[in-house]
Amino acid sequence: MAAWEENVRKVVPYTPGEQPEHLDIIKLNTNENPYPPAPKVAEILKNMDAEILRRYPDPAASELVQALAERYKVPREQVFVGVGSDDVLAMSFLTFFSGGKPIFFPDITYSFYDVWADLFRIPYECQPLDEQFQIRTTDYLGDCGGIVIPNPNAPTGIEKDLLELEQIIAANPGVIVIIDEAYIDFGGESALKLVPKYDNLLVVQTFSKSRSLAGMRIGYAFGDEKLIKYLNDAKYSFNSYTMDTVTIAMGAASLRDEVYFRETIGKVTATREWTKKELARLGFVFPDSKSNFIFASHPKCPAKELFEALKEQGIYVRYFDKPRIDQYLRISIGTDLEMQTLIQFLEQYLGENV
């Protein structure tokens, strides 16, 4: 090892889902929305004057913040925006988790949490899900330096009851509790309504899933005005211009097309429920997902075998080679045709190999 390497901050990085270069596949591995963004977003792209790109963007992203405040009926001082919810969450870890005590989050969850904790030298403890992959409320009532709970959880898709979440928030007034709601629009109940009641609550959401803008990277958070100020102070100390001009305009445009948003959510959830019935018919078992994916296992066929067979067929799903979940596949919800193709292949494969 070279001498300078002794001072390198070494971490094991997050591994994102595979992004195949060829397009002739069915891509059900990264929870992207199968439908295009709102038509108003396309109008922004069509009419944007390239001349504007020579100027720095608005560091406060005022247009987007105002649109979010109006859409969710909150004061704009309670809104924070960033480059995807990953940016918002990373900034929150950096800002709020510096007390020295370990932060708590589930052992089976979004695998970026421990990466950020390691990167920022934040001690943490993973609280184990129960045998049904449920988050246990009692595990989050002890002394800690902060809490992060995804709701619905990923990769399981299970929603935590809002009353139990409130119990956790109320029991931890001395630390920040982050509720990561990346998938909340697909069936869960948001903790946003609790923000006026608890000044230690931060609710994080994203445009990547329900608003079909994963490629633009827009994340946002709601919290007490003081929380948001601390986040902005950290952001402006790190990088004042985190969001580009086009992204700000497209995000605001997406929020102005509520009818299309509701229509798209309806399509995804209807397809999800159809897929649940078909997977159950084929013998799969899975938690009741409230997200845009299903976390499924077949008792007679190893998940890795199915994963490789699907990939060979040009159908990409997500496989996690980790303890307790290595017999499960996370299957994103695509279009009706894509899910029908998936079910047809699984029916044929299982019929021939099980």
Side-chain angles (χ1 to χ4, degrees):
M1 179 183 293
W4 57 264
E5 289 184 80
E6 296 179 6
N7 299 316
V8 172
R9 188 175 294 244
K10 304 176 184 71
V11 294
V12 178
Y14 169 74
T15 303
E18 187 174 356
Q19 296 286 358
E21 294 182 2
H22 46 288
L23 300 178
D24 57 336
I25 63 163
I26 295 177
K27 191 171 183 296
L28 307 176
N29 66 330
T30 50
N31 299 341
E32 294 152 331
N33 198 310
Y35 301 104
K40 291 185 184 297
V41 172
E43 291 177 15
I44 294 293
L45 278 178
K46 181 179 179 181
N47 299 321
M48 179 68 69
D49 184 356
E51 172 69 12
I52 200 172
L53 298 181
R54 70 180 181 83
R55 299 182 181 274
Y56 282 110
D58 172 14
S62 301
E63 181 185 6
L64 179 57
V65 168
Q66 183 62 37
L68 283 163
E70 292 175 1
R71 164 62 174 78
Y72 291 97
K73 297 179 174 55
V74 299
R76 57 178 297 141
E77 293 79 15
Q78 293 185 354
V79 181
F80 177 81
V81 296
V83 185
S85 59
D86 287 343
D87 181 49
V88 175
L89 287 163
M91 197 65 64
S92 300
F93 272 55
L94 181 65
T95 304
F96 300 123
F97 298 152
S98 59
K101 294 180 181 179
I103 63 172
F104 293 170
F105 49 81
D107 65 335
I108 299 173
T109 191
Y110 186 32
S111 53
F112 227 140
Y113 297 156
D114 58 348
V115 174
W116 288 318
D118 287 336
L119 179 63
F120 299 135
R121 300 296 189 262
I122 301 167
Y124 65 91
E125 293 179 10
C126 294
Q127 305 301 323
L129 302 183
D130 68 17
E131 293 303 311
Q132 286 73 47
F133 296 134
Q134 298 279 351
I135 292 172
R136 295 180 291 202
T137 301
T138 53
D139 289 342
Y140 296 86
L141 304 182
D143 190 30
C144 66
I147 292 171
V148 186
I149 294 179
N151 195 44
N153 194 9
T156 65
I158 297 175
E159 179 192 13
K160 180 75 170 170
D161 182 80
L162 191 58
L163 290 176
E164 294 189 49
L165 285 179
E166 184 172 7
Q167 183 182 351
I168 292 170
I169 298 163
N172 291 277
V175 300
I176 302 303
V177 178
I178 298 174
I179 307 299
D180 182 0
E181 296 186 341
Y183 302 98
I184 198 67
D185 291 324
F186 297 104
E189 184 178 7
S190 176
L192 175 59
K193 65 178 67 175
L194 300 179
V195 167
K197 191 174 179 179
Y198 299 98
D199 65 359
N200 64 322
L201 170 62
L202 190 74
V203 178
V204 179
Q205 297 185 10
T206 178
F207 281 58
S208 295
K209 316 300 181 184
S210 56
R211 294 191 180 273
S212 305
L213 285 172
M216 292 306 298
R217 314 305 301 126
I218 306 174
Y220 54 103
F222 302 109
D224 181 81
E225 183 176 339
K226 187 181 292 186
L227 283 190
I228 300 305
K229 181 184 182 301
Y230 283 133
L231 275 174
N232 276 316
D233 287 347
K235 166 190 168 181
Y236 293 137
S237 302
F238 186 78
N239 180 1
S240 297
Y241 301 106
T242 57
M243 300 191 74
D244 65 78
T245 301
V246 179
T247 298
I248 292 169
M250 291 176 67
S254 175
L255 291 164
R256 291 192 291 268
D257 212 332
E258 186 71 13
V259 172
Y260 181 83
F261 170 71
R262 294 297 172 189
E263 179 183 314
T264 302
I265 293 296
K267 288 181 181 179
V268 173
T269 55
T271 304
R272 179 191 68 201
E273 296 308 304
W274 177 87
T275 305
K276 285 180 184 178
K277 293 177 182 178
E278 290 299 300
L279 287 174
R281 178 177 63 83
L282 296 177
F284 284 88
V285 293
F286 45 85
D288 185 22
S289 174
K290 297 296 184 181
S291 60
N292 68 335
F293 58 84
I294 299 171
F295 194 55
S297 174
H298 198 286
K300 296 182 180 180
C301 190
K304 189 172 184 180
E305 177 185 321
L306 273 176
F307 167 75
E308 292 172 347
L310 284 162
K311 187 173 181 179
E312 188 174 327
Q313 190 68 19
I315 303 174
Y316 283 63
V317 297
R318 192 78 188 268
Y319 172 68
F320 300 93
D321 191 6
K322 295 181 178 181
R324 295 186 68 193
I325 60 172
D326 59 354
Q327 290 305 314
Y328 284 81
L329 298 176
R330 193 193 68 190
I331 305 169
S332 302
I333 301 301
T335 64
D336 286 346
L337 180 58
E338 288 173 331
M339 303 315 287
Q340 290 164 8
T341 303
L342 167 78
I343 294 299
Q344 288 169 3
F345 173 76
L346 289 174
E347 187 169 33
Q348 177 184 345
Y349 184 86
L350 293 171
E352 295 174 352
N353 294 276
V354 174

